[in-house]
Coordinates of all heavy atoms in Angstrom, one line a residue:
M214 N -13.5 21.1 8.1 CA -13.7 20.3 9.3 C -14.1 18.8 8.9 O -13.7 17.9 9.5 CB -14.8 20.8 10.2 CG -14.4 21.9 11.1 SD -13.2 21.3 12.3 CE -14.2 20.1 13.2
T218 N -12.3 15.6 10.5 CA -13.2 14.8 11.4 C -13.4 13.4 10.8 O -13.4 12.4 11.6 CB -14.5 15.5 11.6 OG1 -14.3 16.8 12.1 CG2 -15.3 14.7 12.7
R219 N -13.6 13.2 9.6 CA -13.9 11.9 9.0 C -12.7 11.0 9.2 O -12.8 9.8 9.1 CB -14.3 12.0 7.5 CG -15.7 12.5 7.4 CD -16.1 12.5 5.9 NE -17.5 12.9 5.8 CZ -18.0 13.3 4.6 NH1 -17.3 13.3 3.5 NH2 -19.3 13.7 4.6
E221 N -10.9 10.8 12.0 CA -10.9 10.4 13.4 C -11.3 8.9 13.5 O -12.3 8.5 12.9 CB -11.8 11.3 14.2 CG -11.4 12.7 14.3 CD -12.4 13.5 15.1 OE1 -13.3 13.0 15.7 OE2 -12.3 14.8 15.0
P222 N -10.6 8.1 14.3 CA -10.9 6.7 14.4 C -12.3 6.5 15.0 O -12.9 5.5 14.8 CB -9.8 6.1 15.3 CG -9.1 7.3 15.9 CD -9.3 8.5 15.0
G223 N -12.7 7.4 15.9 CA -14.0 7.2 16.5 C -15.2 7.8 15.8 O -16.3 7.8 16.3
C224 N -15.0 8.4 14.7 CA -16.1 9.1 13.9 C -16.7 8.1 13.0 O -16.1 7.5 12.1 CB -15.5 10.2 13.1 SG -16.8 11.1 12.1
D225 N -18.0 7.8 13.1 CA -18.7 6.9 12.2 C -19.4 7.7 11.1 O -19.6 7.2 10.0 CB -19.8 6.2 13.0 CG -19.3 5.1 13.9 OD1 -18.2 4.6 13.7 OD2 -19.9 4.8 14.9
R226 N -19.7 9.0 11.4 CA -20.4 9.8 10.4 C -20.2 11.3 10.7 O -20.3 11.7 11.8 CB -21.9 9.4 10.4 CG -22.7 10.2 9.4 CD -24.1 9.5 9.2 NE -24.4 9.6 7.8 CZ -24.2 8.6 6.9 NH1 -23.9 7.4 7.3 NH2 -24.5 8.7 5.6
Y227 N -20.0 12.0 9.6 CA -19.9 13.5 9.8 C -20.3 14.1 8.4 O -19.5 14.2 7.5 CB -18.4 13.8 10.1 CG -18.2 15.2 10.6 CD1 -18.4 15.5 12.0 CD2 -17.9 16.3 9.8 CE1 -18.2 16.8 12.5 CE2 -17.7 17.6 10.3 CZ -17.9 17.8 11.6 OH -17.7 19.1 12.1
F242 N -24.6 16.4 10.7 CA -25.1 15.2 11.3 C -23.8 14.4 11.7 O -23.1 14.0 10.8 CB -26.0 14.3 10.4 CG -26.5 13.1 11.0 CD1 -27.5 13.1 12.0 CD2 -25.9 11.9 10.7 CE1 -27.9 11.9 12.5 CE2 -26.3 10.7 11.3 CZ -27.4 10.8 12.2
E243 N -23.6 14.2 12.9 CA -22.4 13.6 13.4 C -22.7 12.3 14.2 O -23.7 12.4 15.0 CB -21.6 14.5 14.3 CG -21.3 15.9 13.7 CD -20.7 16.8 14.7 OE1 -19.8 16.4 15.5 OE2 -21.1 18.0 14.7
R244 N -21.9 11.3 14.0 CA -22.1 10.1 14.9 C -20.8 9.6 15.3 O -19.9 9.4 14.4 CB -22.9 9.0 14.2 CG -23.3 7.8 15.1 CD -24.3 6.9 14.5 NE -23.7 6.2 13.4 CZ -24.4 5.5 12.5 NH1 -25.7 5.6 12.6 NH2 -23.9 4.9 11.5
Y245 N -20.6 9.4 16.6 CA -19.3 8.9 17.1 C -19.5 7.5 17.8 O -20.6 7.2 18.3 CB -18.7 9.9 18.1 CG -18.5 11.2 17.4 CD1 -19.4 12.2 17.4 CD2 -17.2 11.4 16.8 CE1 -19.2 13.4 16.7 CE2 -17.0 12.6 16.2 CZ -18.0 13.6 16.1 OH -17.7 14.8 15.5
R246 N -18.5 6.7 17.8 CA -18.6 5.3 18.4 C -19.1 5.3 19.8 O -19.8 4.5 20.3 CB -17.4 4.6 18.2 CG -17.1 4.3 16.7 CD -16.2 3.2 16.5 NE -16.1 3.0 15.0 CZ -15.1 3.3 14.3 NH1 -14.0 3.7 14.9 NH2 -15.1 3.1 13.0
N247 N -18.6 6.3 20.6 CA -18.9 6.4 22.0 C -18.6 7.8 22.5 O -18.1 8.7 21.8 CB -18.2 5.4 22.8 CG -16.7 5.4 22.5 OD1 -16.1 6.5 22.5 ND2 -16.1 4.2 22.3
S248 N -18.9 8.1 23.8 CA -18.7 9.4 24.4 C -17.2 9.8 24.4 O -16.8 10.9 24.3 CB -19.3 9.5 25.8 OG -18.7 8.6 26.6
D249 N -16.3 8.8 24.5 CA -14.9 9.1 24.5 C -14.5 9.6 23.1 O -13.6 10.5 23.0 CB -14.0 7.8 24.8 CG -14.1 7.5 26.3 OD1 -14.5 8.3 27.1 OD2 -13.8 6.3 26.6
A250 N -15.0 9.0 22.1 CA -14.7 9.5 20.7 C -15.2 10.9 20.5 O -14.5 11.7 19.9 CB -15.3 8.6 19.7
L251 N -16.4 11.2 21.0 CA -16.9 12.6 20.9 C -16.0 13.6 21.7 O -15.7 14.7 21.2 CB -18.3 12.7 21.4 CG -19.0 14.1 21.5 CD1 -19.0 14.7 20.2 CD2 -20.4 14.0 22.1
E252 N -15.6 13.2 22.9 CA -14.7 14.1 23.6 C -13.4 14.2 23.0 O -12.8 15.3 23.0 CB -14.6 13.6 25.1 CG -15.8 13.7 25.9 CD -16.4 15.1 25.9 OE1 -15.7 16.1 26.1 OE2 -17.6 15.2 25.6
A253 N -12.8 13.2 22.3 CA -11.6 13.3 21.6 C -11.8 14.3 20.4 O -10.9 15.1 20.1 CB -11.1 12.0 21.1
H254 N -12.9 14.3 19.7 CA -13.2 15.2 18.6 C -13.2 16.6 19.2 O -12.6 17.5 18.6 CB -14.6 14.8 18.1 CG -15.1 15.9 17.1 ND1 -14.5 16.2 15.9 CD2 -16.1 16.7 17.3 CE1 -15.2 17.1 15.3 NE2 -16.2 17.5 16.1
R255 N -13.9 16.8 20.3 CA -14.0 18.2 20.8 C -12.6 18.7 21.3 O -12.5 19.9 21.4 CB -15.0 18.2 21.9 CG -16.4 18.0 21.4 CD -17.4 18.0 22.6 NE -18.8 18.0 22.0 CZ -19.8 17.7 22.8 NH1 -19.7 17.4 24.1 NH2 -21.0 17.6 22.3
F260 N -10.7 21.2 15.8 CA -12.0 21.5 16.3 C -11.9 22.9 17.1 O -12.8 23.7 17.0 CB -12.5 20.4 17.2 CG -13.9 20.8 17.8 CD1 -15.0 20.6 17.0 CD2 -14.0 21.2 19.1 CE1 -16.3 20.9 17.6 CE2 -15.3 21.6 19.6 CZ -16.4 21.4 18.9

Side-chain angles (χ1 to χ4, degrees):
M214 276 298 294
T218 304
R219 286 183 177 165
E221 294 174 13
C224 178
D225 290 334
R226 179 164 223 103
Y227 196 86
F242 180 77
E243 308 172 43
R244 187 168 68 197
Y245 299 90
R246 293 204 177 109
N247 52 44
S248 60
D249 289 341
L251 175 57
E252 290 309 312
H254 168 68
R255 290 177 175 167
F260 178 81

